[in-house]
């Protein structure tokens, strides 16, 4: 099912949690709403489900305007981070419950629940109570319960937050497998960029109730729309080296270092910018020259076949991945060039991408 949000706004008194938000989410995809706490992603999920009414705009499921429909008529499956299982019911009874509410005959609901339990790999746990299950098993049951009624749309609100790191990794892969197997359109809310990058077909990256970029995961990383997107995605975080364009040169604000960089062509003198470079996008260029930064190596950290090194350009610090074969030493003077990917220029005040 295709989902269209048309200029959706949500206000709580004078506070605008979501501001004229528009996006089209394609049928059968896993879409992640990603962003820091308070950016509006859970609010959007609650408006999609009908739990929260919209303050403005429209929600469309395929050709149906569901903006004013109650939750029970939208065909939604919901999965929360706290599982919300009924403690007095068995696994089978928990999965069956939505079908019981809809007065599906017992034989049919047991058959459908058992099949769904097989899909989420809890079919051997049907007679257990929730307290007898691990956190990952409880979350599988919650997913099965949401899917057994064959929803048009599956909504997952930070479903992995209560799990330990190893189980989070396992369950995010399982959620993706289940979504692909069932073919349901799914929207997954998270603040964890690694989760979003790992399982999404597309990511909606949000900030302060406004969509910053909607794209495929790798495209967000390789082609960020603005400084916020570049900063939010990546581990280690992108290096932001502040400076000013002067006579076509990149100059630190204290004037202690400068470099001639072709990437700055067309940017007017006096513009305050960030030269933003992914750590993996530097290369050692021993001969220096144009399109390199004259730097001082301030530390080298070996990790098997790779090394991480810290540098300063003037007094501005940053880090880069280098090869062990480069043989860099602390306090060594070195010039660093750039790869084609992972190098950007942003206006320092507005965050607008210039290059």
């Amino acid at each position: 099912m295709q989902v269209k949000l048309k200029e959706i706004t949500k206000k709580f008194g004078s506070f605008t949690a979501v501001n004229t938000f528009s996006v089209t989410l394609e049928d059968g995809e896993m879409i992640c709403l990603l962003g820091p706490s308070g950016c509006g992603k859970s609010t959007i999920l609650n408006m999609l489900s009908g739990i929260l009414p919209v303050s403005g705009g429209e929600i469309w499921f395929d050709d149906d305007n569901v903006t004013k429909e109650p939750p029970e008529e939208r065909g939604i499956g919901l999965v929360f981070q706290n599982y919300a299982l009924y403690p007095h019911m068995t696994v089978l009874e928990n999965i069956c419950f939505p079908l019981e509410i809809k007065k599906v005959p017992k034989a049919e609901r047991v058959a459908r629940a058992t099949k769904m339990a097989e899909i989420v790999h809890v079919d051997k746990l049907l007679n257990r109570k929730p307290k007898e299950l691990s956190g990952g098993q409880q979350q599988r049951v919650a997913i099965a319960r949401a899917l057994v009624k064959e929803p048009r749309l599956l909504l997952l609100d930070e479903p992995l937050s209560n799990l330990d790191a190893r189980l989070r990794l396992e369950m995010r892969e399982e959620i993706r497998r289940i979504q692909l197997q069932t073919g349901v359109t799914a929207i997954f809310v998270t603040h964890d960029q690694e989760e979003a990058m790992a399982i999404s077909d597309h990511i909606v990256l949000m900030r302060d109730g406004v969509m910053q970029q909607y794209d495929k995961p790798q495209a967000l990383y390789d082609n960020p729309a603005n400084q916020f997107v570049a900063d939010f995605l990546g581990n280690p975080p992108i290096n932001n080296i502040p400076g000013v364009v002067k006579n076509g040169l990149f100059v630190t604000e204290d004037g202690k270092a400068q470099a001639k960089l072709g990437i700055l062509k067309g940017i007017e003198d006096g513009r305050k910018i960030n030269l933003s470079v992914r750590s993996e996008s530097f290369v050692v260029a021993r001969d220096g020259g144009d399109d390199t930064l004259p730097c001082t190596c301030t530390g080298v950290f070996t990790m098997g076949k790779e090394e991480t090194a810290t540098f300063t350009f003037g007094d501005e610090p940053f880090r880069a991945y280098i090869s062990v074969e480069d043989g860099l030493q602390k306090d060594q003077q070195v010039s660093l060039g750039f790869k084609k990917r992972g190098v950007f220029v942003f206006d320092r005040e507005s965050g607008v991408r210039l290059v």
Side-chain angles (χ1 to χ4, degrees):
M1 179 185 71
Q2 187 186 72
V3 177
K4 289 184 181 180
L5 302 178
K6 299 181 178 180
E7 297 189 344
I8 291 297
T9 296
K10 182 60 185 177
K11 295 185 177 182
F12 298 96
S14 61
F15 174 69
T16 301
V18 177
N19 193 1
T20 55
F21 181 94
S22 297
V23 71
T24 298
L25 309 177
E26 296 301 332
D27 177 41
E29 289 198 343
M30 170 75 81
I31 300 101
C32 276
L33 296 180
L34 175 66
S37 296
C39 71
K41 52 190 186 294
S42 289
T43 301
I44 289 175
L45 207 74
N46 288 331
M47 288 191 287
L48 281 166
S49 70
I51 293 173
L52 282 177
V54 304
S55 302
E58 295 179 342
I59 300 172
W60 289 75
F61 291 175
D62 286 334
D63 296 324
D64 300 329
N65 186 341
V66 300
T67 310
K68 296 183 179 180
E69 284 190 5
E72 63 272 14
E73 294 182 12
R74 295 193 183 195
I76 297 291
L78 274 168
V79 179
F80 303 99
Q81 72 181 70
N82 64 354
Y83 321 135
L85 301 178
Y86 299 107
H88 63 287
M89 293 183 180
T90 64
V91 167
L92 180 61
E93 290 167 341
N94 265 283
I95 299 174
C96 282
F97 188 72
L99 301 179
E100 186 177 346
I101 294 297
K102 296 174 70 174
K103 301 189 184 306
V104 174
K106 183 176 181 179
E108 180 183 346
R109 66 178 184 252
V110 169
R112 286 170 60 177
T114 302
K115 181 179 179 181
M116 190 55 61
E118 291 175 358
I119 291 174
V120 303
H121 296 169
V122 295
D123 49 304
K124 294 181 175 24
L125 307 172
L126 293 177
N127 294 319
R128 294 191 187 182
K129 299 285 182 65
K131 66 180 181 180
E132 301 174 271
L133 306 177
S134 69
Q137 290 168 336
Q138 290 185 59
Q139 195 58 283
R140 289 171 188 267
V141 175
I143 293 168
R145 185 180 61 187
L147 288 172
V148 75
K149 58 183 179 180
E150 299 175 348
R152 303 165 74 187
L153 179 65
L154 178 65
L155 304 177
L156 305 107
D157 193 1
E158 306 229 20
L160 308 180
S161 296
N162 289 343
L163 305 179
D164 62 47
R166 184 173 180 178
L167 198 52
R168 284 173 72 105
L169 178 61
E170 176 186 325
M171 276 305 302
R172 80 186 187 197
E173 293 172 351
E174 276 298 285
I175 287 173
R176 180 56 162 162
R177 178 190 65 80
I178 293 163
Q179 186 269 329
L180 287 172
Q181 185 171 343
T182 59
V184 66
T185 304
I187 300 176
F188 185 107
V189 164
T190 182
H191 61 271
D192 187 322
Q193 56 158 314
E194 290 187 9
E195 280 180 6
M197 295 285 284
I199 68 173
S200 306
D201 291 301
H202 285 85
I203 293 174
V204 178
L205 183 56
M206 298 186 62
R207 180 189 188 190
D208 297 334
V210 177
M211 182 170 65
Q212 301 296 302
Q213 192 168 349
Y214 171 54
D215 217 325
K216 294 182 178 180
Q218 196 61 43
L220 263 74
Y221 186 82
D222 291 337
N223 194 26
N226 56 42
Q227 183 80 70
F228 174 79
V229 178
D231 289 347
F232 196 86
L233 296 174
N235 187 21
I238 197 167
N239 296 288
N240 293 315
I241 306 172
V244 182
V245 179
K246 290 185 179 180
N247 300 318
L249 301 176
F250 179 58
V251 184
T252 57
E253 289 200 310
D254 58 14
K256 291 184 178 180
Q258 64 181 35
K260 186 176 182 180
L261 305 178
I263 197 172
L264 302 182
K265 185 178 180 181
I267 299 177
E268 68 273 19
D269 275 5
R271 190 80 172 252
K272 293 183 178 181
I273 62 172
N274 276 336
L275 176 64
S276 299
V277 187
R278 301 283 183 199
S279 294
E280 68 272 19
S281 296
F282 289 101
V283 292
V284 174
R286 296 188 182 279
D287 296 334
D290 292 351
D291 290 315
T292 66
L293 297 179
C295 304
T296 301
C297 178
T298 57
V300 179
F301 311 92
T302 302
M303 299 178 296
K305 66 179 181 179
E306 284 188 325
E307 289 184 337
T308 300
T310 54
F311 299 89
T312 55
F313 173 65
D315 289 334
E316 299 298 338
F318 62 94
R319 71 174 62 242
Y321 289 115
I322 58 174
S323 170
V324 173
E325 296 174 357
D326 290 323
L328 296 188
Q329 303 292 323
K330 188 176 183 297
D331 298 324
Q332 181 178 346
Q333 303 299 306
V334 64
S335 292
L336 295 180
F338 311 100
K339 298 179 181 178
K340 291 183 178 180
R341 294 171 59 182
V343 184
F344 316 102
V345 179
F346 299 100
D347 182 273
R348 204 171 344 139
E349 295 180 357
S350 68
V352 169
R353 181 172 165 187
L354 304 176
V355 179

